[in-house]
Amino acid sequence: MGAAVSLTGKFSTDGQHTKNGYEMAVKRVNDAGGIKVGGKTYKLEIKLYDDESSNERVASLVERLIVQDNVKFILGPYGSPLTAAIVPVTEKFKIPMIQANAASRSLFTKGYRYAFAVLSTSDQYLSSAVDLLAEKAKEVGKQPSSLKVAMAMGDDAFSLDVRAGILEAAKKNGMQVVIDDKVPDNFTDISATLARVKAVKPDIFLASGHATGAATATKQVADAKIDVPMFAMTHCDSAQIAEKFKGISEGILCASQWAPTLSYKDKWFGSAGDYNNLFKKTYNYEAPYQAAESSAAVLVFADAFARAGSLDTEKVRDAIAATDMETFYGYIKFDDTGKNIAKPMMLYQVQNADYVVVAPTKFATAKLIYPRKTP
Amino acid sequence: MTNLLLLFEAPSLLVQVLLDGILVGSIFALAAYGMALVWGVMNIINVTQGEFVVLGGYIGFTAASWGLDPFLCIPVAAAAMLVVGWAIYRGVIYRIVDKDLFISVLATYGLGILIAQLINLVWGADVRSLDSGLGTWFLLDGMVTVSQTRVAAFALALLIGGALLLFLRLTRLGRAIRATAQNARAARALGIDTDRVYAATYAINAAICGAAGALIVMIFVLQPFVGLIYTVRSFMIVIVAGLGNHRGGAGRGRSREFRRLHLRHPVPGRFRVLIPGDRSGRAQFAPATPPDVLEMSATARGRLLTILLLALTVAAPLLIPALTVQFSTLWVMIILALTWDILGGQMGYNSFGNVVFFGVGMYASAIVQVGLFHDVGAYTAASGTGVYPFTPQQYYVGLALGLLVAPIAAVAVAALLGTGMLGLRGHYFAIGTLGLGIAGGEFAASWEYIGGASGFLLPVFPGAYATRALFFYALCAALGIVTFLVLRRLYAGRFGLALNAIRDDEDKAEALGHHTVRNKVLAWCVSAFFVGLAGAIFGNMNGLIEPREVAFSGATFGVWMVLMALLGGKGTLWGPVIGAIVFHVFKELFWTYLLGWQRVALGLLIVGIVLFFPLGLLGFARERWPSLFARQTAEGAKR
């Protein structure tokens, strides 16, 4: 298998998680004896390149993997923009690719045949928070249509997708979007937006801008003492806000693909909690969902190899399409467009410097603290 | 509009925004002050400023993790950066301090890449931040919040700035620095060790950045690769504050020019005799070297070489089909380097802004290709969510028209920009073009019609993959060859000589009746024509146009084209070609074999090019083995 991930550049934090996730799963599968494919046992191996977070480089690297290094199966890079740049390449070569970290909706509307994604699409990330707010408002007898939404979104394709999802959810609930800012410069400063948030007092503030954005938003909202009943963002676990911003991160809602407290299991890693423990032992930090979904992508390949009984790319592709499995990461089953339809999005809340799942209710391990108490 | 209304509804907002601006601005001002100091005293634009800030922040962060109070980390970071700055001066900067201003941009750009990657290797890619432990004040019934950290940072920034002013005014070293800034030669004549002064200035700047970084890590968050933002901000502040404010900067520059004129005037590749004007009042240029018999054989040899190279061009993708796309990119690189050299080498105007034409061509072609058959706004807004098919015929017609419009659009932009900017001379032009790439990228990223920051997906080539690669290779190679031939033709004629005259002495050229500005703009338009076309092809080859990283990538293509021309030898026809090949091959090798360290290697390569091959590989070879070049020189004279 081959992959180009971002070890340098603006996605390097998340790229590192991706790499760790891939490598840990490969090691795990190999330690468990490898995979039996048509009577022969194979070990997995990944050839990695650094794409520098640049979609100008990533396509040529993937091409190099396929053409020069003879790689027949591709694991996705970190992020939708980079993935969008390589799908045309993998499609041309009819090489199956499982993307672990590309959630952009637009990737699933092109009729790509060899691309699959284990994660939920990005428009679902924060729309769940808006829905949750509407639900809470109704509980206290408020009309959702009286609520005001404010958001600061990074100027990148992923965040713009998240924004589209929020706008849809707000419209559905009749909420008014009062601040809708695009943040330049890799989301390193939002004080101008926050000054306005303070003035208009929205009922929810949403932020998205990868790991840098999560850290910036956490810190600056606290510095400016912004008091919003609900504060939700993406990428908090990859920025490790609960650990690194103890206190000021209390009560923040985080959109997540996965949580270590979930009750899913598989034969390689055991439960989600076991995965987290192994990850912590190997890399000395809590497993972020970016790592978990990356590991899951490797497991899908492993499962498909075994079922295909062959390493023929076409047969493996069909086996992947027929995937219906439970992993520590959640259920995985692809629809015709290649996205995983068996797994819902989670919302965490930071409570006592820990992440607890508060939505959807089925998986909730704690009660949502609403309105958020400004630390 | 709603934003403006908000100001009236909530006047406290104004106070908040102003306070934030002033408090945080002071830290940026600190970094900018350091940049201005180095610029003024040493005539060096230190584009690694942002990386210094980030490195300072990481050092502060580490010191704090040892249990030090965050505010005590500031002097620690400053002291550590003082040493780093001094070491960098001794290792690299002292070699470029008497070189052209634009050399300093390239060298410090290379250093920046190096430092950012080293930070990434040492500290990892995680986002870092530091809690200062201070609280918040509330003003106006809690409507305005003032973070105490920011106030402390503001006070410290003022303190450091003030201390620096006093230092420059009162101490012996400070006075020496100011004297050197005013007139380095006079300072030397008066017994000031200017080398020491430069070392001190550079180290002090690094220390200031270190302090600023240690403050920034308390207010914002740091990540190894955010340096560029701080460099750009410092640069903008310095520019807005006024270039005249680097005391004696301009005067110093002039005195250095004089010294260079007397001591080591660069010997041009060929000597020329100026024959004062004919009746039309224009100057006539004639080659000094008489046509000689050797030329025949030189031409024959040249022809053989040409045939060989053409054969290689055709054979390359057939021999190693796996590398076809890399070869195509190489051709694009060659075109970029060749066209950069029209201004940079032949005319002596160093442009960092040519990448704008690349982006303009790319987008212009994309708009035409899509706009002919669909609504562009809907196409990009859908970003693939709607289905907008292209028949093969539509694809080729669109591409052909796109390739027609792209160079026209690029030339139009060049004419417009050129008329405005080419009145600027020398350094000022180079500085003026520094921001062009970034400005273009931001503009494209904010224009939803062409896809904004999400980018612009191009129609997909209707053939098989291998055909596609060959198709674009053929386009790139053809354009590369045509560019080369056109430039050879241009350089051989009056136009080339007119450009050289501008490079060698613009005042004299003007005095001789040359329309220098017109020629300069024309030269830039020629450059833009080919770059725009290359951009259109590259965009289609890449499939996705991303505004900041593909189209208007000033920090990669924009700088690389300069480096490649420089590496091969600027001001020569073959130099940029050789430079592009060597640079591209090295870069690809680094990415393949030095994973994780590739950017360190690239940074070292760039610094190495700037330090050791200022005349380029061709210039180096010519100096070392002049006999080898005897014929080429004769041929050059004929050109």
Side-chain angles (χ1 to χ4, degrees), chain A residues 76-338:
Chain A
Y78 176 79
S80 302
L82 302 192
T83 308
I86 71 159
V87 191
V89 179
T90 50
E91 287 292 312
K92 285 279 175 200
F93 285 103
K94 303 193 189 320
I95 293 288
M97 173 181 68
I98 299 183
Q99 56 214 50
N101 289 286
S104 173
R105 277 191 299 184
S106 58
L107 289 168
F108 305 101
T109 49
K110 299 241 170 62
Y112 290 137
R113 193 177 136 77
Y114 297 87
F116 300 89
V118 295
L119 70 181
S120 311
T121 52
S122 46
D123 50 317
Q124 299 170 34
Y125 271 66
L126 290 178
S127 57
S128 48
V130 176
D131 290 338
L132 184 66
L133 176 72
E135 198 180 298
K136 286 286 152 190
K138 276 183 209 149
E139 273 175 28
V140 296
K142 265 212 272 187
Q143 277 300 317
S145 55
S146 67
L147 301 177
K148 289 182 286 187
V149 178
M151 60 177 147
M153 294 288 135
D155 199 3
D156 58 83
F158 166 79
S159 301
L160 295 178
D161 242 24
V162 173
R163 173 176 169 272
I166 295 171
L167 287 179
E168 255 168 48
K171 200 170 152 201
K172 187 179 76 192
N173 290 304
M175 297 178 190
Q176 189 195 353
V177 177
V178 286
I179 295 176
D180 178 9
D181 277 3
K182 260 192 230 167
V183 186
D185 286 351
N186 295 341
F187 216 109
T188 43
D189 188 7
I190 53 166
S191 33
T193 305
L194 291 180
R196 294 193 1 250
V197 168
K198 207 165 182 77
V200 300
K201 296 197 190 333
D203 297 280
I204 184 169
F205 177 62
L206 305 132
S208 167
H210 295 278
T212 330
T216 302
T218 307
K219 195 173 171 89
Q220 295 199 341
V221 163
D223 275 350
K225 298 273 167 199
I226 303 286
D227 194 5
V228 281
M230 198 176 269
F231 175 20
M233 58 169 75
T234 63
H235 291 83
C236 353
D237 38 3
S238 99
Q240 301 171 34
I241 60 162
E243 299 90 330
K244 286 187 180 163
F245 300 98
K246 279 206 174 69
I248 61 172
S249 59
E250 280 301 302
I252 293 178
L253 283 176
C254 312
S256 182
Q257 294 275 358
W258 173 81
T261 55
L262 296 175
S263 51
Y264 304 120
K265 270 197 196 61
D266 65 45
K267 61 173 173 178
W268 286 287
F269 287 108
S271 72
D274 296 339
Y275 177 85
N276 191 36
N277 290 338
L278 180 68
F279 192 90
K280 236 191 314 193
K281 221 173 80 194
T282 318
Y283 299 111
N284 282 322
Y285 65 98
E286 297 270 341
Y289 73 78
Q290 286 84 350
E293 60 202 18
S294 304
S295 296
V298 174
L299 298 187
V300 172
F301 262 130
D303 177 66
F305 290 148
R307 278 186 295 112
S310 150
L311 290 180
D312 175 65
T313 49
E314 219 33 64
K315 283 189 184 135
V316 171
R317 186 256 155 215
D318 292 341
I320 295 172
T323 298
D324 186 0
M325 65 193 282
E326 181 183 355
T327 68
F328 74 93
Y329 171 72
Y331 290 101
I332 297 176
K333 187 180 161 88
F334 302 109
D335 69 359
D336 288 345
T337 63

Side-chain angles (χ1 to χ4, degrees), chain B residues 186-553:
Chain B
R188 255 193 296 276
L190 290 170
I192 292 175
D193 180 356
T194 50
D195 186 51
R196 219 182 113 236
V197 166
Y198 291 149
T201 310
Y202 201 77
I204 288 170
N205 169 46
I208 296 173
C209 289
L215 286 170
I216 281 172
V217 75
M218 284 190 262
I219 296 178
F220 300 117
V221 298
L222 281 184
Q223 202 254 347
F225 301 99
V226 293
L228 184 66
I229 297 166
Y230 295 108
T231 300
V232 171
R233 282 197 190 158
S234 303
F235 182 72
M236 285 194 310
I237 295 172
V238 174
I239 295 290
V240 172
L243 287 174
N245 283 356
H246 322 293
R247 251 174 249 169
R252 217 190 102 66
R254 217 166 292 134
S255 75
R256 181 175 309 121
E257 296 291 302
F258 268 103
R259 195 177 67 224
R260 176 152 342 116
L261 217 59
H262 295 308
L263 297 183
R264 39 164 139 154
H265 189 296
V267 182
R270 48 210 144 118
F271 289 98
R272 247 174 264 103
V273 181
L274 290 171
I275 304 169
D278 58 5
R279 290 245 170 110
S280 67
R282 286 189 186 167
Q284 282 268 333
F285 296 94
T289 325
D292 61 60
V293 272
L294 287 175
E295 267 169 33
M296 278 301 289
S297 64
T299 325
R301 193 205 271 178
R303 213 163 266 162
L304 190 69
L305 194 72
T306 314
I307 293 170
L308 251 170
L309 283 176
L310 275 178
L312 204 63
T313 303
V314 177
L318 301 174
L319 286 178
I320 325 176
L323 287 174
T324 308
V325 174
Q326 275 104 317
F327 286 136
S328 312
T329 313
L330 174 58
W331 275 109
V332 172
M333 294 287 210
I334 291 176
I335 296 164
L336 292 180
L338 268 173
T339 51
W340 180 84
D341 200 53
I342 301 174
L343 257 69
Q346 302 290 342
M347 206 172 87
Y349 272 68
N350 299 309
S351 161
F352 287 102
N354 284 14
V355 72
V356 165
F357 311 133
F358 198 58
V360 167
M362 213 179 275
Y363 273 111
S365 171
I367 291 171
V368 169
Q369 282 172 261
V370 172
L372 277 176
F373 309 104
H374 302 290
D375 177 52
V376 179
Y379 175 90
T380 51
S383 161
T385 30
V387 184
Y388 291 94
F390 291 84
T391 63
Q393 197 200 347
Q394 282 179 333
Y395 179 85
Y396 289 114
V397 170
L399 185 63
L401 284 177
L403 293 186
L404 196 70
V405 172
I408 297 173
V411 167
V413 172
L416 210 70
L417 282 178
T419 318
M421 295 185 71
L422 279 164
L424 296 171
R425 289 259 180 115
H427 296 162
Y428 290 98
F429 175 74
I431 295 161
T433 56
L434 261 179
L436 280 181
I438 293 176
E442 290 306 318
F443 176 73
S446 61
W447 193 13
E448 289 302 332
Y449 179 70
I450 54 170
S454 307
F456 194 141
L457 270 163
L458 283 151
V460 182
F461 183 78
Y465 187 82
T467 327
R468 175 184 188 267
L470 278 178
F471 176 75
F472 284 112
Y473 176 80
L475 278 182
C476 292
L479 180 62
I481 292 168
V482 169
T483 311
F484 182 85
L485 293 177
V486 168
L487 290 189
R488 192 169 72 170
R489 182 84 206 200
L490 275 184
Y491 293 162
R494 290 175 62 96
F495 189 62
L497 290 174
L499 296 188
N500 294 158
I502 292 171
R503 174 186 65 193
D504 296 342
D505 195 324
E506 191 165 349
D507 289 329
K508 268 188 204 135
E510 218 160 78
L512 285 169
H514 268 276
H515 295 280
T516 50
V517 174
R518 198 181 66 195
N519 278 338
K520 287 192 284 185
V521 175
L522 205 58
W524 218 14
C525 288
V526 173
S527 208
F529 182 89
F530 293 109
V531 176
L533 207 46
I537 298 173
F538 189 80
N540 273 289
M541 203 164 77
N542 205 47
L544 172 74
I545 305 179
E546 209 271 355
R548 299 188 187 95
E549 278 157 23
V550 180
F552 296 99
S553 183

